[in-house]
Amino acid sequence: MEVWFTEDQTKNLRISCRVKKVLYNEVSYFQKVAVLDTPEFGRMLTLDNVIQTTERDEFVYHEMITHVGLVTHHNPRKVLVVGGGDGGTIREIVKHKEVEKAVHVEIDQKVIEAAKQHLPTLSSGFEDPRVEIRVEDGIKHVQEHKNTYDMIIIDSTDPVGPAVGLFSEEFYRQVHDALKEDGLFVAQTESPFFNREIIQNVQKTLSGIFPIARLFHGVVPTYPGGAWTFSMGSKKYDPLAVKPEEIPQLETKWYSADIHHSSFILPPFVQEYLNK
Ligand code: AG3
């Protein structure tokens, strides 16, 4: 029997992948959590039938959501991750020796459990002694920790359901206040093709809160449209001012000194709607 997984990426567009085996399939308090083994992308984590990450293409997203900001900061010692229970973001953060503590706040214990059981190449970073995992509401954690972090990473799902609050102006102000005086943050901000309004709004909001607001991008084949954006809000450091020789040699497959800068070069159609 053929088994296929399908995500409705937009109202009019779907992605389907053949499934070899269903490795995990549970309903948590928040959502349906599944890990599927697929011939094309390896193991795949889905939440409410939305692809979160796959073994084959996760490296681009996880390297971009972490290294661009960590390198820009120069000396990130205390880092917070909100979301990203699969562990990919944490795995990249612990590659930085200067990081003394990485606090990981995930709202859904079942996502962590699924990743620990079935996504070992992502969840490996959880074992690092500098990592503290907390199963709680990221919004509340941010509200309760003022002036605490050098970098905050918002590794969220799409802005539907519980993640809506993670894209709000109020939350970005709280993130600003949870950062130290030279802190910065990075959030995943969806597709430049299908989520133009989200990107416009986030960038506009961040420009009103942070002295430096930037948009950069990478490629994630299993996400809608393939091209994917990230937004940075920074109190002091500008990612564009990082000199190539300051970028450390990290074990990466996508991020590099050249990619650091090229990822901020935006195609005219995006630049145009950002200027509006
Ligand atoms: N966060 C989810 C990004 C959004 C994907 N959207 C989609 N497939 N419609 C990824 C978490 C990985 N740590």
Side-chain angles (χ1 to χ4, degrees):
M1 199 187 62
E2 287 200 1
V3 181
W4 286 74
F5 162 83
T6 299
E7 171 184 335
D8 294 334
Q9 290 192 326
T10 73
K11 268 200 297 235
N12 311 301
L13 179 67
R14 292 176 174 163
I15 181 173
S16 288
C17 308
R18 190 190 294 281
V19 175
K20 277 197 289 199
K21 198 170 176 195
V22 178
L23 299 168
Y24 186 97
N25 194 15
E26 296 211 7
V27 180
S28 73
Y29 177 78
F30 301 98
Q31 56 208 341
K32 196 176 116 188
V33 182
V35 180
L36 313 171
D37 197 7
T38 72
E40 210 64 71
F41 292 108
R43 294 185 178 191
M44 171 185 278
L45 172 72
T46 67
L47 299 178
D48 283 341
N49 291 327
V50 175
I51 299 174
Q52 298 303 312
T53 198
T54 82
E55 284 179 331
R56 294 284 151 76
D57 68 1
E58 58 86 9
F59 65 93
V60 186
Y61 177 94
H62 291 124
E63 290 178 14
M64 292 306 280
I65 205 169
T66 53
H67 302 312
V68 176
L70 290 164
V71 165
T72 297
H73 188 285
H74 293 91
N75 189 25
R77 277 163 295 149
K78 201 158 179 203
V79 182
L80 170 68
V81 180
V82 174
D86 52 83
T89 295
I90 286 288
R91 181 197 64 205
E92 294 304 311
I93 292 172
V94 299
K95 288 181 181 172
H96 291 256
K97 303 269 176 296
E98 68 279 15
V99 171
E100 291 163 6
K101 178 138 203 140
V103 179
H104 183 216
V105 177
E106 163 64 52
I107 201 164
D108 193 342
Q109 170 69 43
K110 286 223 183 272
V111 178
I112 299 173
E113 178 186 286
K116 280 189 174 166
Q117 286 173 14
H118 301 290
L119 299 168
T121 58
L122 284 113
S123 58
S124 57
F126 286 152
E127 305 308 322
D128 191 287
R130 294 169 292 168
V131 176
E132 178 188 337
I133 302 177
R134 303 172 68 109
V135 178
E136 60 187 30
D137 181 357
I139 296 180
K140 204 159 160 266
H141 183 93
V142 167
Q143 283 166 355
E144 287 168 0
H145 291 78
K146 302 254 180 281
N147 193 22
T148 304
Y149 292 105
D150 297 305
M151 179 171 177
I152 296 178
I153 297 173
I154 314 299
D155 185 5
S156 74
T157 52
D158 296 332
V160 282
V164 171
L166 299 174
F167 288 77
S168 70
E169 169 162 6
E170 194 190 0
F171 179 64
Y172 294 143
R173 288 197 185 278
Q174 291 160 351
V175 165
H176 175 277
D177 294 346
L179 288 166
K180 292 188 189 151
E181 61 186 7
D182 59 352
L184 60 85
F185 101 102
V186 171
Q188 76 87 0
T189 46
E190 308 284 307
S191 158
F193 289 93
F194 301 120
N195 307 107
R196 162 191 164 150
E197 275 179 26
I198 294 173
I199 296 170
Q200 274 175 319
N201 286 341
V202 171
Q203 285 292 316
K204 211 171 133 224
T205 308
L206 293 185
S207 322
I209 302 174
F210 290 88
I212 298 159
R214 303 260 180 243
L215 185 73
F216 59 104
H217 60 113
V219 172
V220 187
T222 52
Y223 290 173
W228 207 250
T229 71
F230 303 87
S231 290
M232 182 188 292
S234 177
K235 292 188 176 178
K236 180 170 173 195
Y237 305 110
D238 187 345
L240 302 181
V242 176
K243 298 192 185 71
E245 61 273 18
E246 293 167 357
I247 299 182
Q249 277 286 333
L250 295 158
E251 258 184 56
T252 51
K253 292 187 277 190
W254 184 268
Y255 179 79
S256 69
D258 287 335
I259 293 278
H260 179 101
H261 288 282
S262 70
S263 66
F264 289 90
I265 300 172
L266 302 172
F269 87 98
V270 176
Q271 196 55 62
E272 198 193 311
Y273 67 65
L274 283 184
N275 293 342
K276 283 213 175 105

